[in-house]
PDB file of all heavy atoms in Angstrom:
ATOM      1  N   SER A 253      51.438 171.936   1.345  1.00 86.00           N
ATOM      2  CA  SER A 253      50.948 172.634   0.170  1.00 86.00           C
ATOM      3  C   SER A 253      52.023 173.313  -0.658  1.00 86.00           C
ATOM      4  O   SER A 253      51.825 173.551  -1.852  1.00 86.00           O
ATOM      5  CB  SER A 253      49.895 173.671   0.581  1.00 86.00           C
ATOM      6  OG  SER A 253      50.457 174.633   1.452  1.00 86.00           O
ATOM      7  N   MET A 254      53.156 173.658  -0.072  1.00 89.00           N
ATOM      8  CA  MET A 254      54.205 174.339  -0.825  1.00 89.00           C
ATOM      9  C   MET A 254      55.313 173.397  -1.299  1.00 89.00           C
ATOM     10  O   MET A 254      56.059 173.734  -2.205  1.00 89.00           O
ATOM     11  CB  MET A 254      54.827 175.466   0.015  1.00 89.00           C
ATOM     12  CG  MET A 254      53.879 176.627   0.242  1.00 89.00           C
ATOM     13  SD  MET A 254      53.391 177.372  -1.338  1.00 89.00           S
ATOM     14  CE  MET A 254      51.974 178.344  -0.799  1.00 89.00           C
ATOM     15  N   ASP A 255      55.418 172.237  -0.676  1.00 89.00           N
ATOM     16  CA  ASP A 255      56.461 171.286  -1.060  1.00 89.00           C
ATOM     17  C   ASP A 255      55.906 170.038  -1.733  1.00 89.00           C
ATOM     18  O   ASP A 255      56.652 169.315  -2.389  1.00 89.00           O
ATOM     19  CB  ASP A 255      57.276 170.885   0.170  1.00 89.00           C
ATOM     20  CG  ASP A 255      58.097 172.046   0.694  1.00 89.00           C
ATOM     21  OD1 ASP A 255      57.572 172.819   1.514  1.00 89.00           O
ATOM     22  OD2 ASP A 255      59.253 172.184   0.271  1.00 89.00           O
ATOM     23  N   GLY A 256      54.615 169.775  -1.540  1.00 88.00           N
ATOM     24  CA  GLY A 256      54.002 168.628  -2.191  1.00 88.00           C
ATOM     25  C   GLY A 256      54.330 167.292  -1.576  1.00 88.00           C
ATOM     26  O   GLY A 256      53.863 166.261  -2.064  1.00 88.00           O
ATOM     27  N   ASP A 257      55.140 167.278  -0.500  1.00 89.00           N
ATOM     28  CA  ASP A 257      55.462 166.000   0.117  1.00 89.00           C
ATOM     29  C   ASP A 257      54.406 165.622   1.144  1.00 89.00           C
ATOM     30  O   ASP A 257      53.563 166.432   1.533  1.00 89.00           O
ATOM     31  CB  ASP A 257      56.856 166.035   0.750  1.00 89.00           C
ATOM     32  CG  ASP A 257      57.033 167.166   1.750  1.00 89.00           C
ATOM     33  OD1 ASP A 257      56.249 168.131   1.705  1.00 89.00           O
ATOM     34  OD2 ASP A 257      57.959 167.084   2.582  1.00 89.00           O
ATOM     35  N   ALA A 258      54.448 164.367   1.550  1.00 88.00           N
ATOM     36  CA  ALA A 258      53.430 163.837   2.453  1.00 88.00           C
ATOM     37  C   ALA A 258      53.995 163.661   3.856  1.00 88.00           C
ATOM     38  O   ALA A 258      55.156 163.270   4.032  1.00 88.00           O
ATOM     39  CB  ALA A 258      52.918 162.496   1.935  1.00 88.00           C
ATOM     40  N   ALA A 259      53.174 163.958   4.850  1.00 90.00           N
ATOM     41  CA  ALA A 259      53.573 163.708   6.230  1.00 90.00           C
ATOM     42  C   ALA A 259      53.636 162.201   6.479  1.00 90.00           C
ATOM     43  O   ALA A 259      52.886 161.428   5.874  1.00 90.00           O
ATOM     44  CB  ALA A 259      52.569 164.341   7.190  1.00 90.00           C
ATOM     45  N   PRO A 260      54.515 161.744   7.359  1.00 89.00           N
ATOM     46  CA  PRO A 260      54.590 160.317   7.693  1.00 89.00           C
ATOM     47  C   PRO A 260      53.453 159.944   8.638  1.00 89.00           C
ATOM     48  O   PRO A 260      53.676 159.578   9.798  1.00 89.00           O
ATOM     49  CB  PRO A 260      55.967 160.196   8.353  1.00 89.00           C
ATOM     50  CG  PRO A 260      56.181 161.527   8.993  1.00 89.00           C
ATOM     51  CD  PRO A 260      55.529 162.533   8.074  1.00 89.00           C
ATOM     52  N   VAL A 261      52.226 160.045   8.128  1.00 85.00           N
ATOM     53  CA  VAL A 261      51.050 159.883   8.983  1.00 85.00           C
ATOM     54  C   VAL A 261      51.008 158.503   9.625  1.00 85.00           C
ATOM     55  O   VAL A 261      50.741 158.364  10.815  1.00 85.00           O
ATOM     56  CB  VAL A 261      49.765 160.155   8.171  1.00 85.00           C
ATOM     57  CG1 VAL A 261      48.530 159.966   9.045  1.00 85.00           C
ATOM     58  CG2 VAL A 261      49.785 161.553   7.588  1.00 85.00           C
ATOM     59  N   ALA A 262      51.286 157.467   8.835  1.00 82.00           N
ATOM     60  CA  ALA A 262      51.241 156.114   9.388  1.00 82.00           C
ATOM     61  C   ALA A 262      52.296 155.944  10.480  1.00 82.00           C
ATOM     62  O   ALA A 262      52.044 155.312  11.505  1.00 82.00           O
ATOM     63  CB  ALA A 262      51.450 155.100   8.269  1.00 82.00           C
ATOM     64  N   ALA A 263      53.472 156.527  10.270  1.00 85.00           N
ATOM     65  CA  ALA A 263      54.530 156.424  11.284  1.00 85.00           C
ATOM     66  C   ALA A 263      54.151 157.167  12.548  1.00 85.00           C
ATOM     67  O   ALA A 263      54.394 156.693  13.658  1.00 85.00           O
ATOM     68  CB  ALA A 263      55.843 156.966  10.723  1.00 85.00           C
ATOM     69  N   LEU A 264      53.539 158.343  12.386  1.00 83.00           N
ATOM     70  CA  LEU A 264      53.106 159.099  13.560  1.00 83.00           C
ATOM     71  C   LEU A 264      52.046 158.333  14.328  1.00 83.00           C
ATOM     72  O   LEU A 264      52.031 158.315  15.559  1.00 83.00           O
ATOM     73  CB  LEU A 264      52.552 160.462  13.135  1.00 83.00           C
ATOM     74  CG  LEU A 264      53.575 161.464  12.607  1.00 83.00           C
ATOM     75  CD1 LEU A 264      52.861 162.702  12.080  1.00 83.00           C
ATOM     76  CD2 LEU A 264      54.573 161.851  13.685  1.00 83.00           C
ATOM     77  N   ALA A 265      51.139 157.690  13.595  1.00 76.00           N
ATOM     78  CA  ALA A 265      50.080 156.934  14.255  1.00 76.00           C
ATOM     79  C   ALA A 265      50.634 155.691  14.939  1.00 76.00           C
ATOM     80  O   ALA A 265      50.228 155.340  16.043  1.00 76.00           O
ATOM     81  CB  ALA A 265      49.017 156.532  13.237  1.00 76.00           C
ATOM     82  N   GLY A 266      51.600 155.027  14.284  1.00 64.00           N
ATOM     83  CA  GLY A 266      52.107 153.775  14.813  1.00 64.00           C
ATOM     84  C   GLY A 266      53.132 153.942  15.907  1.00 64.00           C
ATOM     85  O   GLY A 266      53.284 153.070  16.755  1.00 64.00           O
ATOM     86  N   ARG A 267      53.825 155.099  15.922  1.00 53.00           N
ATOM     87  CA  ARG A 267      54.932 155.248  16.862  1.00 53.00           C
ATOM     88  C   ARG A 267      54.665 156.244  17.976  1.00 53.00           C
ATOM     89  O   ARG A 267      55.531 156.477  18.803  1.00 53.00           O
ATOM     90  CB  ARG A 267      56.197 155.650  16.099  1.00 53.00           C
ATOM     91  CG  ARG A 267      56.668 154.577  15.139  1.00 53.00           C
ATOM     92  CD  ARG A 267      57.906 155.020  14.405  1.00 53.00           C
ATOM     93  NE  ARG A 267      59.014 155.239  15.333  1.00 53.00           N
ATOM     94  CZ  ARG A 267      60.186 155.759  14.969  1.00 53.00           C
ATOM     95  NH1 ARG A 267      60.386 156.112  13.719  1.00 53.00           N
ATOM     96  NH2 ARG A 267      61.141 155.940  15.850  1.00 53.00           N
ATOM     97  N   ARG A 268      53.478 156.868  17.962  1.00 48.00           N
ATOM     98  CA  ARG A 268      53.206 157.752  19.094  1.00 48.00           C
ATOM     99  C   ARG A 268      53.121 156.899  20.346  1.00 48.00           C
ATOM    100  O   ARG A 268      52.615 155.789  20.318  1.00 48.00           O
ATOM    101  CB  ARG A 268      51.920 158.547  18.877  1.00 48.00           C
ATOM    102  CG  ARG A 268      50.648 157.728  18.944  1.00 48.00           C
ATOM    103  CD  ARG A 268      49.453 158.654  18.760  1.00 48.00           C
ATOM    104  NE  ARG A 268      48.222 157.936  18.998  1.00 48.00           N
ATOM    105  CZ  ARG A 268      47.564 157.276  18.070  1.00 48.00           C
ATOM    106  NH1 ARG A 268      48.022 157.234  16.841  1.00 48.00           N
ATOM    107  NH2 ARG A 268      46.446 156.647  18.367  1.00 48.00           N
ATOM    108  N   ARG A 269      53.639 157.397  21.438  1.00 46.00           N
ATOM    109  CA  ARG A 269      53.771 156.582  22.639  1.00 46.00           C
ATOM    110  C   ARG A 269      52.699 156.938  23.646  1.00 46.00           C
ATOM    111  O   ARG A 269      52.483 158.086  23.957  1.00 46.00           O
ATOM    112  CB  ARG A 269      55.156 156.762  23.247  1.00 46.00           C
ATOM    113  CG  ARG A 269      56.235 156.212  22.337  1.00 46.00           C
ATOM    114  CD  ARG A 269      57.608 156.400  22.929  1.00 46.00           C
ATOM    115  NE  ARG A 269      58.612 155.828  22.057  1.00 46.00           N
ATOM    116  CZ  ARG A 269      59.916 155.930  22.261  1.00 46.00           C
ATOM    117  NH1 ARG A 269      60.362 156.588  23.306  1.00 46.00           N
ATOM    118  NH2 ARG A 269      60.770 155.381  21.431  1.00 46.00           N
ATOM    119  N   GLY A 270      52.047 155.892  24.147  1.00 45.00           N
ATOM    120  CA  GLY A 270      51.037 156.111  25.176  1.00 45.00           C
ATOM    121  C   GLY A 270      49.720 156.545  24.576  1.00 45.00           C
ATOM    122  O   GLY A 270      49.540 156.663  23.374  1.00 45.00           O
ATOM    123  N   ARG A 271      48.756 156.811  25.463  1.00 42.00           N
ATOM    124  CA  ARG A 271      47.423 157.200  25.036  1.00 42.00           C
ATOM    125  C   ARG A 271      47.301 158.709  25.036  1.00 42.00           C
ATOM    126  O   ARG A 271      48.024 159.414  25.706  1.00 42.00           O
ATOM    127  CB  ARG A 271      46.374 156.607  25.988  1.00 42.00           C
ATOM    128  CG  ARG A 271      46.375 155.089  26.013  1.00 42.00           C
ATOM    129  CD  ARG A 271      45.303 154.598  26.968  1.00 42.00           C
ATOM    130  NE  ARG A 271      45.523 155.096  28.323  1.00 42.00           N
ATOM    131  CZ  ARG A 271      46.302 154.515  29.200  1.00 42.00           C
ATOM    132  NH1 ARG A 271      46.976 153.436  28.898  1.00 42.00           N
ATOM    133  NH2 ARG A 271      46.445 155.021  30.405  1.00 42.00           N
ATOM    134  N   GLY A 272      46.350 159.203  24.273  1.00 41.00           N
ATOM    135  CA  GLY A 272      45.969 160.601  24.364  1.00 41.00           C
ATOM    136  C   GLY A 272      46.572 161.508  23.326  1.00 41.00           C
ATOM    137  O   GLY A 272      46.222 162.671  23.252  1.00 41.00           O
ATOM    138  N   ALA A 273      47.514 161.046  22.524  1.00 44.00           N
ATOM    139  CA  ALA A 273      48.040 161.906  21.463  1.00 44.00           C
ATOM    140  C   ALA A 273      47.024 161.965  20.349  1.00 44.00           C
ATOM    141  O   ALA A 273      46.557 160.944  19.866  1.00 44.00           O
ATOM    142  CB  ALA A 273      49.361 161.343  20.939  1.00 44.00           C
ATOM    143  N   VAL A 274      46.641 163.162  19.958  1.00 45.00           N
ATOM    144  CA  VAL A 274      45.617 163.346  18.925  1.00 45.00           C
ATOM    145  C   VAL A 274      46.298 163.839  17.669  1.00 45.00           C
ATOM    146  O   VAL A 274      47.015 164.823  17.695  1.00 45.00           O
ATOM    147  CB  VAL A 274      44.555 164.374  19.366  1.00 45.00           C
ATOM    148  CG1 VAL A 274      43.485 164.526  18.292  1.00 45.00           C
ATOM    149  CG2 VAL A 274      43.937 163.953  20.677  1.00 45.00           C
ATOM    150  N   ASP A 275      46.105 163.147  16.565  1.00 40.00           N
ATOM    151  CA  ASP A 275      46.711 163.535  15.312  1.00 40.00           C
ATOM    152  C   ASP A 275      45.692 164.304  14.481  1.00 40.00           C
ATOM    153  O   ASP A 275      44.550 163.891  14.365  1.00 40.00           O
ATOM    154  CB  ASP A 275      47.150 162.301  14.526  1.00 40.00           C
ATOM    155  CG  ASP A 275      48.146 161.484  15.313  1.00 40.00           C
ATOM    156  OD1 ASP A 275      49.284 161.911  15.427  1.00 40.00           O
ATOM    157  OD2 ASP A 275      47.733 160.447  15.834  1.00 40.00           O
ATOM    158  N   ARG A 276      46.142 165.402  13.876  1.00 39.00           N
ATOM    159  CA  ARG A 276      45.252 166.229  13.079  1.00 39.00           C
ATOM    160  C   ARG A 276      45.689 166.168  11.633  1.00 39.00           C
ATOM    161  O   ARG A 276      46.852 166.327  11.336  1.00 39.00           O
ATOM    162  CB  ARG A 276      45.338 167.663  13.589  1.00 39.00           C
ATOM    163  CG  ARG A 276      44.400 168.611  12.879  1.00 39.00           C
ATOM    164  CD  ARG A 276      44.562 169.967  13.495  1.00 39.00           C
ATOM    165  NE  ARG A 276      43.767 170.944  12.796  1.00 39.00           N
ATOM    166  CZ  ARG A 276      43.819 172.214  13.061  1.00 39.00           C
ATOM    167  NH1 ARG A 276      44.611 172.659  13.990  1.00 39.00           N
ATOM    168  NH2 ARG A 276      43.068 173.059  12.389  1.00 39.00           N
ATOM    169  N   ARG A 277      44.732 165.932  10.710  1.00 43.00           N
ATOM    170  CA  ARG A 277      45.086 165.754   9.319  1.00 43.00           C
ATOM    171  C   ARG A 277      44.428 166.804   8.452  1.00 43.00           C
ATOM    172  O   ARG A 277      43.353 167.274   8.747  1.00 43.00           O
ATOM    173  CB  ARG A 277      44.619 164.395   8.796  1.00 43.00           C
ATOM    174  CG  ARG A 277      45.126 163.249   9.571  1.00 43.00           C
ATOM    175  CD  ARG A 277      44.710 161.977   8.907  1.00 43.00           C
ATOM    176  NE  ARG A 277      43.258 161.871   8.881  1.00 43.00           N
ATOM    177  CZ  ARG A 277      42.630 160.833   8.369  1.00 43.00           C
ATOM    178  NH1 ARG A 277      43.316 159.854   7.830  1.00 43.00           N
ATOM    179  NH2 ARG A 277      41.325 160.775   8.372  1.00 43.00           N
ATOM    180  N   ARG A 278      45.090 167.119   7.344  1.00 42.00           N
ATOM    181  CA  ARG A 278      44.505 167.945   6.299  1.00 42.00           C
ATOM    182  C   ARG A 278      44.602 167.163   5.011  1.00 42.00           C
ATOM    183  O   ARG A 278      45.551 166.456   4.773  1.00 42.00           O
ATOM    184  CB  ARG A 278      45.254 169.282   6.149  1.00 42.00           C
ATOM    185  CG  ARG A 278      45.229 170.134   7.404  1.00 42.00           C
ATOM    186  CD  ARG A 278      45.975 171.436   7.199  1.00 42.00           C
ATOM    187  NE  ARG A 278      45.240 172.325   6.315  1.00 42.00           N
ATOM    188  CZ  ARG A 278      45.679 172.699   5.124  1.00 42.00           C
ATOM    189  NH1 ARG A 278      46.801 172.278   4.654  1.00 42.00           N
ATOM    190  NH2 ARG A 278      44.958 173.519   4.382  1.00 42.00           N
ATOM    191  N   ARG A 279      43.593 167.318   4.173  1.00 42.00           N
ATOM    192  CA  ARG A 279      43.539 166.647   2.878  1.00 42.00           C
ATOM    193  C   ARG A 279      43.632 165.133   3.026  1.00 42.00           C
ATOM    194  O   ARG A 279      44.400 164.464   2.351  1.00 42.00           O
ATOM    195  CB  ARG A 279      44.646 167.154   1.958  1.00 42.00           C
ATOM    196  CG  ARG A 279      44.670 168.662   1.858  1.00 42.00           C
ATOM    197  CD  ARG A 279      45.832 169.112   0.981  1.00 42.00           C
ATOM    198  NE  ARG A 279      46.014 170.537   1.121  1.00 42.00           N
ATOM    199  CZ  ARG A 279      46.845 171.091   1.989  1.00 42.00           C
ATOM    200  NH1 ARG A 279      47.584 170.345   2.779  1.00 42.00           N
ATOM    201  NH2 ARG A 279      46.949 172.394   2.055  1.00 42.00           N
ATOM    202  N   ALA A 280      42.852 164.564   3.932  1.00 41.00           N
ATOM    203  CA  ALA A 280      42.963 163.145   4.243  1.00 41.00           C
ATOM    204  C   ALA A 280      42.678 162.276   3.029  1.00 41.00           C
ATOM    205  O   ALA A 280      43.266 161.217   2.867  1.00 41.00           O
ATOM    206  CB  ALA A 280      42.005 162.780   5.379  1.00 41.00           C
ATOM    207  N   ARG A 281      41.785 162.708   2.161  1.00 44.00           N
ATOM    208  CA  ARG A 281      41.459 161.874   1.013  1.00 44.00           C
ATOM    209  C   ARG A 281      42.655 161.722   0.085  1.00 44.00           C
ATOM    210  O   ARG A 281      42.849 160.684  -0.538  1.00 44.00           O
ATOM    211  CB  ARG A 281      40.273 162.458   0.251  1.00 44.00           C
ATOM    212  CG  ARG A 281      39.818 161.520  -0.862  1.00 44.00           C
ATOM    213  CD  ARG A 281      38.482 161.949  -1.434  1.00 44.00           C
ATOM    214  NE  ARG A 281      38.073 161.025  -2.459  1.00 44.00           N
ATOM    215  CZ  ARG A 281      37.478 159.879  -2.217  1.00 44.00           C
ATOM    216  NH1 ARG A 281      37.197 159.530  -0.978  1.00 44.00           N
ATOM    217  NH2 ARG A 281      37.140 159.070  -3.210  1.00 44.00           N
ATOM    218  N   ARG A 282      43.493 162.748  -0.012  1.00 45.00           N
ATOM    219  CA  ARG A 282      44.682 162.637  -0.854  1.00 45.00           C
ATOM    220  C   ARG A 282      45.620 161.564  -0.313  1.00 45.00           C
ATOM    221  O   ARG A 282      46.188 160.783  -1.078  1.00 45.00           O
ATOM    222  CB  ARG A 282      45.420 163.971  -0.914  1.00 45.00           C
ATOM    223  CG  ARG A 282      44.700 165.026  -1.720  1.00 45.00           C
ATOM    224  CD  ARG A 282      45.643 166.184  -1.954  1.00 45.00           C
ATOM    225  NE  ARG A 282      44.931 167.305  -2.538  1.00 45.00           N
ATOM    226  CZ  ARG A 282      45.508 168.449  -2.835  1.00 45.00           C
ATOM    227  NH1 ARG A 282      46.791 168.616  -2.600  1.00 45.00           N
ATOM    228  NH2 ARG A 282      44.831 169.438  -3.371  1.00 45.00           N
ATOM    229  N   VAL A 283      45.786 161.545   1.001  1.00 42.00           N
ATOM    230  CA  VAL A 283      46.665 160.537   1.592  1.00 42.00           C
ATOM    231  C   VAL A 283      46.126 159.154   1.288  1.00 42.00           C
ATOM    232  O   VAL A 283      46.854 158.253   0.882  1.00 42.00           O
ATOM    233  CB  VAL A 283      46.791 160.739   3.117  1.00 42.00           C
ATOM    234  CG1 VAL A 283      47.464 159.535   3.752  1.00 42.00           C
ATOM    235  CG2 VAL A 283      47.599 161.981   3.409  1.00 42.00           C
ATOM    236  N   ARG A 284      44.834 158.974   1.458  1.00 49.00           N
ATOM    237  CA  ARG A 284      44.244 157.671   1.202  1.00 49.00           C
ATOM    238  C   ARG A 284      44.432 157.271  -0.258  1.00 49.00           C
ATOM    239  O   ARG A 284      44.782 156.138  -0.588  1.00 49.00           O
ATOM    240  CB  ARG A 284      42.765 157.674   1.550  1.00 49.00           C
ATOM    241  CG  ARG A 284      42.098 156.327   1.239  1.00 49.00           C
ATOM    242  CD  ARG A 284      40.596 156.430   1.342  1.00 49.00           C
ATOM    243  NE  ARG A 284      40.137 156.174   2.675  1.00 49.00           N
ATOM    244  CZ  ARG A 284      38.856 156.211   3.017  1.00 49.00           C
ATOM    245  NH1 ARG A 284      37.935 156.522   2.131  1.00 49.00           N
ATOM    246  NH2 ARG A 284      38.488 155.967   4.248  1.00 49.00           N
ATOM    247  N   SER A 285      44.218 158.218  -1.179  1.00 47.00           N
ATOM    248  CA  SER A 285      44.308 157.895  -2.597  1.00 47.00           C
ATOM    249  C   SER A 285      45.735 157.571  -3.014  1.00 47.00           C
ATOM    250  O   SER A 285      45.961 156.778  -3.920  1.00 47.00           O
ATOM    251  CB  SER A 285      43.761 159.054  -3.443  1.00 47.00           C
ATOM    252  OG  SER A 285      44.588 160.184  -3.354  1.00 47.00           O
ATOM    253  N   HIS A 286      46.727 158.170  -2.343  1.00 45.00           N
ATOM    254  CA  HIS A 286      48.117 157.921  -2.724  1.00 45.00           C
ATOM    255  C   HIS A 286      48.685 156.688  -2.038  1.00 45.00           C
ATOM    256  O   HIS A 286      49.560 156.019  -2.599  1.00 45.00           O
ATOM    257  CB  HIS A 286      48.977 159.143  -2.392  1.00 45.00           C
ATOM    258  CG  HIS A 286      48.821 160.256  -3.383  1.00 45.00           C
ATOM    259  ND1 HIS A 286      49.367 160.213  -4.643  1.00 45.00           N
ATOM    260  CD2 HIS A 286      48.161 161.428  -3.314  1.00 45.00           C
ATOM    261  CE1 HIS A 286      49.065 161.315  -5.303  1.00 45.00           C
ATOM    262  NE2 HIS A 286      48.327 162.065  -4.507  1.00 45.00           N
ATOM    263  N   THR A 287      48.229 156.388  -0.824  1.00 44.00           N
ATOM    264  CA  THR A 287      48.787 155.252  -0.096  1.00 44.00           C
ATOM    265  C   THR A 287      47.932 154.000  -0.228  1.00 44.00           C
ATOM    266  O   THR A 287      48.389 152.904   0.050  1.00 44.00           O
ATOM    267  CB  THR A 287      48.924 155.576   1.404  1.00 44.00           C
ATOM    268  OG1 THR A 287      47.617 155.794   1.956  1.00 44.00           O
ATOM    269  CG2 THR A 287      49.785 156.810   1.622  1.00 44.00           C
ATOM    270  N   GLY A 288      46.667 154.177  -0.640  1.00 48.00           N
ATOM    271  CA  GLY A 288      45.786 153.036  -0.762  1.00 48.00           C
ATOM    272  C   GLY A 288      45.187 152.587   0.549  1.00 48.00           C
ATOM    273  O   GLY A 288      44.490 151.581   0.617  1.00 48.00           O
TER     274      GLY A 288
END
Side-chain angles (χ1 to χ4, degrees):
S253 61
M254 291 299 165
D255 292 88
D257 55 341
V261 179
L264 290 174
R267 295 180 63 187
R268 70 178 188 272
R269 294 179 178 175
R271 298 180 301 275
V274 181
D275 301 286
R276 183 179 176 186
R277 304 185 298 181
R278 299 180 71 245
R279 308 177 192 93
R281 186 168 181 82
R282 289 192 189 179
V283 168
R284 178 191 272 180
S285 68
H286 282 286
T287 64

